[in-house]
Every structure is written in structure tokens, then in C-alpha cells.
Amino acid sequence: MTRDTAAAARQKARIVLIGTGGTIAGRGASPVNTSAYDCSVLSIDDILADLPVADSLADITTEQLFQVGSENFGNVQLLQLGKRIASLLERDDIDGIVVTHGTDTIDETAYFLHLTLKSPKPVVVVGAMRPPSALSSDGPLNLYNAIVVAASRLAHGKGTLVVSNDEIHTARDVVKTNTFKQDAFKSPYGPLGFVVEGKPVFYRLPARPHTVDSEWSINEIEALSHVGVVYAHGGMNDAIVRAILDSGVKAVIYAATGNGNVAVSIVASLVEARKRGIHVVRGSRTGGGVVIRNAAQPDDLYDWLVTDDQPAHKARILMMLALTREHCTRKLQDVFWRY
Ligand code: GLU
């Protein structure tokens, strides 16, 4: 039997379910504890055991890689998770991956995977806003839907996806936008599709390069530079900027007000940063829209960058990857415009 006929004869996709913790692995004292509970206490096997219908969807094997709230994810975890997924995706007997993850930084991890995995096979990152112990927990259905998507041929070649609240989001666009509601995940241009009655439906595609078309490969990255984020506000002085410049960062993302406006009291410290070899990336704290190069500030003169439309925490991921290959400002700016 050829590999193609074997695949056609096989009824179910082979999925690896990787547990990393989060609310989807949480447990509250009572069913009414929808927002106050112990995070990252259920194993990935416990979570799957509570979803017996998943057996009908795929042949699932499990791995417990971490057991932490995602606010604790650092570059070490990103690299370890990415390398583990890459080695699984190389295997002919694995068709897709689902990662259970805390929702706090799920958008950062998913974006990192989206840009560094060299495979068209589906990778779906999923979390929950309510623990499985809570009334109307979103965990079981989110996980079910994530497995549906990872097992589907329709998800091939679409990069890393985040499935939540019946929606399928591209990792590039998705952000967490709410502290407790189940529809916390939004993409500024809308989700790619939905999962309806156990069937994925796609309506659009990611426009920017990812996975097999990106310039980064997880297997070639051994370390990531430290990139800091500064959040602007009214009445700001430059103390926090100066502190971050002395912390060993290679770049700072400045989440400026509005369309990348930088207060007069801050400009000198950011100009000095660049003179000290630290890249400055002007972004926006608004959560939407594009920061225009050379508009609110003379980026060419200061040798600064702009984020395009990325929020600061996702611009940080992109900048860390960009710095693995480039140091020239023009090329770094192209990375923001391309991805
Ligand atoms: N500490 C959790 C986290 O891992 C809380 C959020 C969640 O998973 O929903 O991000």
C-alpha cells in the first residue's frame, strides 16, 4: 500500500496533544468560580479523559511539556516548545499538533510558532477562559474544536491557529482583549473561520508569510535577544525608558500613544538608545491601526523603526526573531512590513 493510499484508508488523523498548563488545566473550589481558581493543576491526560468524544475525531497521543501559567513563559519555553513541535511534525505518523496553553500569552506563543515552524501540517494552540470545573466552561468545547481543526486537511498550510469560542484565528492577528469573558480573542481583520457543529469552515487566508515561507526555522535558533516593551502614558518621564536601556535589551518596543506619538520628555532617551546600539521600535498602545513611518517622529533621522500594525507584545516576538538574522535598520523595517 502506498503512503497516499494508506492515508486515504485511514479514518482518523494522528494528533499529538501537548499540555503546558493554563486555565484549561485549572480547577476552582466550586462551579461558580469562573475567574478565581488554581491554574495549571490538571494533567493533559486528565483534560483529555474529560472529553471522551475526542476519540471519535483523531488518534490522540499526549505529552506534558510544561505545567505553568503562560505569564511565566519566557524565551526558553518558546524555544523548547517550538523545537519539540518541529521534531514531531517531521514524523510521517503525525498529522497535526494541538497545544493547550494559558490564554494570557497564547497570542505570543502562537505567533512565534507561526513564524518558525517549517511544516504545512496544522498546529493549533488552545486555551480556556474558565476552568473545566466552572459552570459553562469553554475548555471542553475549545479543545474539541481545536482537535477538529488540527485533524482537518482544510487547516493545512494556514500556519499556526488559535481556536477559541467557535472561532479560528490566525496567530499573526489574534490578541487577547478581555480579562474574563469567553469571547476574549479578537483579530483586527476578523477570524479566518469558525468551527460549526464539529466542522471547520474557512472564509479567508493569512496574507503574510509564515511557516514554510518565513525566513526563520526553529531548528536554527538557539537563543533570542532580550527585547523590552515600554508602555506610554500621559505625564510620563524618561526614568522607565532609561532603566530598560540599562537592562541589556537589544531593542525596545515603545507602545506610544495614538499613531506612535512620543512625548518631548521621552524623545532624548530613545535617541540616546539608538546611539548606544539599541533599536527603537515605535508602536501604538491603541490596539489597532498602522503606525506611519516618519509621521509623528522622524524615524529616518533617528534610525528608528515602526511596528506596522502589530501590538507591542507581538512586535516583541517579531523583533526577537528579526534580530536573529538582521541588524541593519532598513532590513529590520522590511521585516515589520513583510510579516
Ligand atoms: N495564568 C493563566 C495563564 O496561563 C490564566 C489565563 C488563562 O489561562 O486563561 O495564562
Side-chain angles (χ1 to χ4, degrees):
M1 199 187 281
T2 67
R3 190 178 294 165
D4 282 353
T5 17
R10 208 174 38 245
Q11 294 295 306
K12 291 197 272 183
R14 294 152 305 180
I15 302 293
V16 180
L17 179 58
I18 299 177
T20 74
T23 296
I24 198 166
R27 185 170 43 220
S30 94
V32 296
N33 288 123
T34 54
S35 298
Y37 47 83
D38 291 330
C39 182
S40 312
V41 291
L42 302 176
S43 71
I44 193 63
D45 290 325
D46 292 338
I47 297 169
L48 187 60
D50 273 350
L51 196 66
V53 284
D55 280 348
S56 65
L57 298 175
D59 290 328
I60 302 170
T61 51
T62 59
E63 284 192 22
Q64 188 80 54
L65 196 59
F66 312 124
Q67 186 67 299
V68 292
S70 66
E71 66 277 15
N72 300 304
F73 265 57
N75 295 347
V76 169
Q77 285 76 16
L78 290 180
L79 290 168
Q80 193 179 334
L81 176 64
K83 286 176 191 290
R84 180 63 191 145
I85 293 174
S87 75
L88 291 169
L89 291 176
E90 278 167 16
R91 285 170 40 183
D92 288 340
D93 62 343
I94 291 173
D95 300 310
I97 306 286
V98 174
V99 181
T100 57
H101 196 293
T103 60
D104 284 9
T105 65
I106 198 171
D107 46 0
E108 297 176 45
T109 299
Y111 192 33
F112 180 78
L113 300 174
H114 186 68
L115 293 172
T116 57
L117 293 173
K118 298 283 113 192
S119 171
K121 292 179 185 175
V123 175
V124 181
V125 194
V126 64
M129 294 301 292
R130 295 178 180 169
S133 53
L135 289 171
S136 296
S137 172
D138 51 342
L141 185 56
N142 281 352
L143 180 57
Y144 182 87
N145 285 345
I147 295 167
V148 162
V149 173
S152 171
R153 287 294 307 174
L154 295 175
H156 271 240
K158 294 187 172 65
T160 301
L161 302 167
V162 172
V163 170
S164 181
N165 203 33
D166 302 325
E167 295 177 338
I168 308 167
H169 293 266
T170 168
R172 181 195 184 272
D173 294 347
V174 73
V175 277
K176 183 175 183 179
T177 65
N178 196 280
T179 58
F180 75 101
K181 288 170 63 178
Q182 298 194 65
D183 68 340
F185 290 92
K186 303 287 177 199
S187 293
Y189 317 108
L192 298 186
F194 304 108
V195 185
V196 185
E197 290 279 318
K199 301 235 173 335
V201 194
F202 285 91
Y203 294 93
R204 63 184 194 89
L205 297 172
R208 305 262 181 131
H210 57 76
T211 54
V212 294
D213 295 321
S214 93
E215 60 202 80
W216 303 284
S217 169
I218 186 69
N219 289 332
E220 292 166 8
I221 304 172
E222 293 313 319
L224 294 162
S225 295
H226 182 193
V227 173
V229 173
V230 175
Y231 190 94
H233 55 84
M236 197 168 176
N237 65 40
D238 66 0
I240 197 147
V241 178
R242 292 198 177 277
I244 208 164
L245 300 187
D246 288 332
S247 71
V249 293
K250 294 282 182 280
V252 57
I253 314 290
Y254 188 73
T257 54
N259 198 331
N261 291 298
V262 184
V264 174
S265 56
I266 302 298
V267 171
S269 57
L270 292 178
V271 168
E272 183 190 321
R274 188 67 202 106
K275 287 186 178 149
R276 285 167 54 179
I278 299 165
H279 285 285
V280 174
V281 192
R282 275 196 311 125
S284 172
R285 69 177 199 180
T286 59
V290 172
V291 176
I292 312 292
R293 188 169 173 86
N294 290 321
Q297 290 290 327
D299 298 299
D300 285 348
L301 179 68
Y302 295 157
D303 202 33
W304 290 353
L305 302 158
V306 290
T307 53
D308 189 22
D309 67 340
Q310 285 294 356
H313 61 292
K314 296 183 78 174
R316 174 183 160 269
I317 297 286
L318 186 54
M319 190 63 180
M320 289 195 303
L321 289 172
L323 287 169
T324 64
R325 296 175 69 97
E326 307 291 354
H327 294 282
C328 140
T329 306
R330 189 183 55 76
K331 288 188 176 159
L332 290 167
Q333 184 63 74
D334 284 345
V335 164
F336 276 94
W337 283 336
R338 184 166 147 76
Y339 293 94

